Amino acid sequence: MTCRLCYSQNLVDYYRGPIRSGCVGSGEINGFAVKKCCDCNFVFLDPVPEGLDLFYESDEYRSRFDYAFDPEAIHNKYAHEQTARLYRIGVEHIRGRSLLDLGASAGVFIDVVRGYASRTVAVEPFTMYHEYLRSQGHDVFSYPQDAIESGVKVDIVTCFDVIEHIENPRDFISSAFKLLKPGGVFFLSMPNLDDLLLTIAPNKFKPFFFQVAHLNYFSSGVISLLVEGSGFKINSVDYIHKYGLDNLIRWVSESSTAPAAISGLFDRTFLDHYKAEVERLGIASHLFIVATKDKDISPTSS
């Protein structure tokens, strides 16, 4: 066995135990280990589940992780997450520019920006969503390589909660680089390996955090090296915390009634400060990377 990033064989167990088998409440599964490379610090699931491409192309993945997975249900479930993403990107940076979303799902983000962008492109392996995506005015491809071979070049590439699912993340980032015009911007977000719950409630949280669908686990340092190694210049490493204080209390408390007990105890200002401080300290649930493709890239290397 070798590291999927640097191919080193200098690996150790990072976690060995039950991991989540599907969506919240789906139960646990054994037979996997989470490995860490001692040379590049990359953390990854071992072994890689078989038949991943077919898994993501079928409805099995959606039924295991979303239960209801028609476009309306997906929008209802994930629409609230788009506000923080759009805020960090800025409408002014999207207006009049072409945008491609890697792992677009049912269009939960790309639908939000279609009125601002000059062109929107969805890359999504689950073909059930293709008809819907096209009906919303997006160009649609199943895989990044399909878009590359069609000559697609855009000003912005976005990728949210996708790279953790990808068996070869280096090739995936390289695809994003190829899809961007010189001077284009890449916005990338994924779960944070430095999530505060992995520190303060590791025994309870690890069997939930590590899951069969997530092959890769990134710290800010590892993802920055990966992105830079693909030719990008890192503009910023930021954080998004998706969950409130009640979620923290639920994980650390032995009482199932604790979250209800604090309901109404803290006002919106306090809860906003809690999220902001978790993000400032780099222990939020998600990383948010902004990177740029150099304007001086020669045609042969792009």
Side-chain angles (χ1 to χ4, degrees):
M1 183 202 318
T2 60
C3 172
R4 294 203 305 275
L5 282 191
C6 74
Y7 310 111
S8 169
Q9 294 182 331
N10 189 12
L11 309 175
V12 295
D13 282 349
Y14 187 83
Y15 169 75
R16 186 175 287 273
I19 63 174
R20 184 151 52 106
S21 62
C23 61
V24 176
S26 62
E28 298 174 348
I29 189 171
N30 291 291
F32 294 89
V34 179
K35 298 288 187 178
K36 180 177 181 178
C37 176
C38 297
D39 291 326
C40 73
N41 293 320
F42 180 50
V43 174
F44 58 94
L45 188 70
D46 179 67
V48 173
E50 296 181 358
L52 279 179
D53 286 350
L54 292 176
F55 181 53
Y56 289 124
E57 290 171 1
S58 71
D59 59 8
E60 181 184 357
Y61 169 71
R62 290 296 174 189
S63 63
R64 282 180 61 180
F65 286 87
D66 287 313
Y67 292 138
F69 52 88
D70 60 276
E72 182 179 2
I74 293 296
H75 278 254
N76 289 338
K77 182 175 181 179
Y78 296 108
H80 69 282
E81 296 183 357
Q82 311 317 311
T83 302
R85 292 168 177 169
L86 190 59
Y87 172 77
R88 278 165 172 76
I89 295 173
V91 169
E92 68 276 16
H93 296 129
I94 299 173
R95 191 181 302 278
R97 294 180 172 88
S98 52
L99 183 147
L100 181 148
D101 192 27
L102 289 170
S105 182
V108 286
F109 177 75
I110 203 168
D111 279 0
V112 172
V113 303
R114 70 172 180 243
Y116 304 114
S118 60
R119 178 192 184 190
T120 49
V121 183
V123 174
E124 171 54 48
F126 187 30
T127 56
M128 175 180 166
Y129 292 149
H130 286 193
E131 181 179 356
Y132 169 80
L133 290 165
R134 291 191 180 97
S135 75
Q136 300 305 301
H138 311 303
D139 296 332
V140 181
F141 298 92
S142 291
Y143 289 98
Q145 190 60 34
D146 299 331
I148 292 168
E149 291 175 358
S150 295
V152 173
K153 291 284 186 180
V154 295
D155 301 301
I156 298 168
V157 170
T158 56
C159 181
F160 305 124
D161 292 323
V162 173
I163 194 170
E164 63 270 23
H165 298 271
I166 303 299
E167 184 173 359
N168 193 326
R170 188 180 298 281
D171 284 354
F172 186 73
I173 298 292
S174 295
S175 294
F177 188 85
K178 292 174 183 177
L179 287 163
L180 277 170
K181 299 175 183 177
V185 185
F186 183 34
F187 296 93
L188 174 67
S189 185
M190 77 293 295
N192 180 19
L193 188 58
D194 293 321
D195 187 313
L196 80 164
L197 283 171
L198 288 170
T199 299
I200 64 177
N203 293 336
K204 291 176 68 175
F205 192 58
K206 284 182 178 180
F208 177 86
F209 180 81
F210 297 116
Q211 54 179 288
V212 69
H214 287 187
L215 311 183
N216 314 307
Y217 300 91
F218 294 101
S219 64
S220 60
V222 170
I223 191 62
S224 296
L225 288 173
L226 177 59
V227 171
E228 288 177 329
S230 297
F232 285 102
K233 175 185 176 183
I234 297 285
N235 293 9
S236 64
V237 177
D238 201 356
Y239 299 87
I240 294 178
H241 196 58
K242 293 186 178 182
Y243 309 107
L245 185 59
D246 58 333
N247 184 68
L248 173 68
I249 292 173
R250 182 179 295 111
W251 279 106
V252 301
S253 176
E254 297 300 324
S255 170
S256 61
T257 62
I262 69 163
S263 178
L265 185 62
F266 303 112
D267 62 17
R268 178 65 178 269
T269 300
F270 179 92
L271 296 175
D272 285 346
H273 277 301
Y274 160 73
K275 281 193 174 183
E277 284 301 293
V278 169
E279 291 169 355
R280 183 184 67 83
L281 293 169
I283 53 176
S285 63
H286 284 67
L287 287 149
F288 194 91
I289 311 297
V290 183
T292 305
K293 180 175 181 176
D294 198 310
K295 291 183 178 180
D296 297 327
I297 295 293
S298 65
T300 56
S301 62
S302 61

